[in-house]
């Protein structure tokens, strides 16, 4: 009797459809005490941040790999580092440890987003960064002011998604204090803000560092 088929490692193959390439997206809500410390530290900077924000953020509706545009790269800031927002740094390190098993990272870009009525962001990626993230300082919690939507990286999933197949997309409804971490190459967008409430978030890109 001939042996059954094996994979490249010599292990016996299991017949049937398998989910073999899951993508890790981390979502959590920061505790109230930490949220308050972050707000206290950011508060004195908010007016000047609003004044300068047009120099390094995109307009609604751009459909691109934002970080491959040379002009955008020149304008992009690192607000957390420039303004010494240490409470944000500490909070990111804590959650990065839960997501990627290290507290140490090179925080490469960070910027504020102010989302008002009818604003949105088209599908895009963050290029070469291993980890991207966003923290919400102000959000309704019901998604009406703009939900964060991740898209399945498999280009075949749209053809296969019938009868309860793999997800084409996954939507998260931001609330105050929510943080999410995800691979920079994972395509995502933000839906239209249908309200007259302003949503405020702080986005960032980083590289985890694993010490010997």
């Amino acid at each position: 009797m001939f042996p059954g088929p094996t994979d490249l490692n010599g292990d016996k193959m299991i017949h049937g459809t398998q989910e073999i390439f899951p993508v890790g997206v981390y979502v959590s809500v920061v505790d109230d005490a930490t949220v308050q410390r972050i707000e206290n530290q950011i508060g004195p900077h908010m007016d000047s941040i609003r004044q300068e924000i047009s120099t390094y953020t995109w307009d609604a509706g751009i459909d691109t790999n934002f970080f491959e545009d040379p002009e955008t790269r020149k304008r992009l800031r690192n607000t957390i580092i420039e303004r010494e927002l240490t409470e944000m740094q500490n909070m990111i390190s804590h959650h990065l440890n839960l997501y990627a098993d290290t507290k140490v990272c090179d925080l490469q870009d960070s910027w504020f987003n102010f989302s008002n009525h009818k604003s949105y962001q088209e599908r895009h990626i963050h290029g070469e960064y291993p980890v991207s993230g966003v923290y919400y300082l102000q959000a309704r919690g019901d998604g009406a002011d703009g939900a964060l939507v991740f898209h399945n990286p498999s280009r075949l999933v749209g053809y296969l998604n019938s009868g309860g197949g793999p997800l084409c997309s996954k939507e998260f409804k931001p609330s105050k204090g929510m943080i999410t971490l995800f691979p920079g190459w994972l395509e995502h967008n933000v839906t239209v803000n249908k309200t007259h409430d302003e949503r405020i978030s702080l986005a960032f890109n980083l590289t985890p560092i694993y010490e010997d």
Side-chain angles (χ1 to χ4, degrees):
M1 184 175 180
F2 293 103
T6 60
D7 62 18
L8 293 178
N9 295 321
D11 297 324
K12 186 175 181 179
M13 292 182 64
I14 300 173
H15 298 276
T17 302
Q18 303 174 56
E19 297 287 342
I20 61 174
F21 297 121
V23 178
V25 173
Y26 176 89
V27 179
S28 185
V29 177
V30 177
D31 65 273
D32 291 343
T34 301
V35 168
Q36 189 60 57
R37 290 197 301 270
I38 290 172
E39 288 184 352
N40 292 343
Q41 195 169 63
I42 290 176
H45 299 273
M46 192 57 75
D47 287 343
S48 60
I49 288 170
R50 288 183 181 275
Q51 291 174 5
E52 71 182 17
I53 197 161
S54 62
T55 66
Y56 65 97
T57 57
W58 51 18
D59 295 325
I62 291 179
D63 183 6
T64 184
N65 179 353
F66 184 49
F67 300 92
E68 286 186 353
D69 175 31
E71 291 305 312
T72 298
R73 292 297 309 160
K74 291 178 184 178
R75 299 197 309 269
L76 201 60
R77 307 288 291 270
N78 198 339
T79 300
I80 293 175
I81 300 299
E82 292 173 3
R83 295 180 179 273
E84 299 181 349
L85 303 179
T86 54
E87 294 293 346
M88 272 296 303
Q89 287 180 270
N90 293 338
M91 183 272 292
I92 291 171
S93 294
H94 170 75
H95 289 277
L96 179 65
N97 189 44
L98 298 175
Y99 177 55
D101 200 27
T102 179
K103 292 184 177 181
V104 184
C105 70
D106 179 10
L107 187 61
Q108 293 162 303
D109 305 308
S110 56
W111 66 98
F112 278 87
N113 289 308
F114 296 88
S115 171
N116 295 294
H117 184 53
K118 293 185 177 181
S119 65
Y120 65 99
Q121 289 176 342
E122 289 283 5
R123 291 169 67 154
H124 63 281
I125 62 174
H126 288 203
E128 73 277 14
Y129 296 101
V131 177
S132 296
V134 59
Y135 171 75
Y136 294 90
L137 290 94
Q138 182 171 298
R140 288 167 55 102
D142 61 1
D145 55 349
L148 177 62
V149 183
F150 293 102
H151 299 275
N152 194 317
S154 171
R155 297 303 178 187
L156 286 174
V157 71
Y159 298 99
L160 298 174
N161 192 25
S162 60
L167 288 174
C168 289
S169 63
K170 174 65 176 178
E171 177 180 294
F172 292 94
K173 299 174 180 179
S175 59
K176 180 178 178 178
M178 179 177 133
I179 181 174
T180 180
L181 302 171
F182 54 92
W185 49 259
L186 185 61
E187 198 172 35
H188 56 285
N189 71 284
V190 180
T191 61
V192 176
N193 184 344
K194 299 177 181 179
T195 75
H196 291 276
D197 298 325
E198 184 177 54
R199 190 187 71 252
I200 304 174
S201 60
L202 180 51
F204 50 89
N205 296 313
L206 59 86
T207 298
I209 297 174
Y210 296 92
E211 300 174 335
D212 294 335

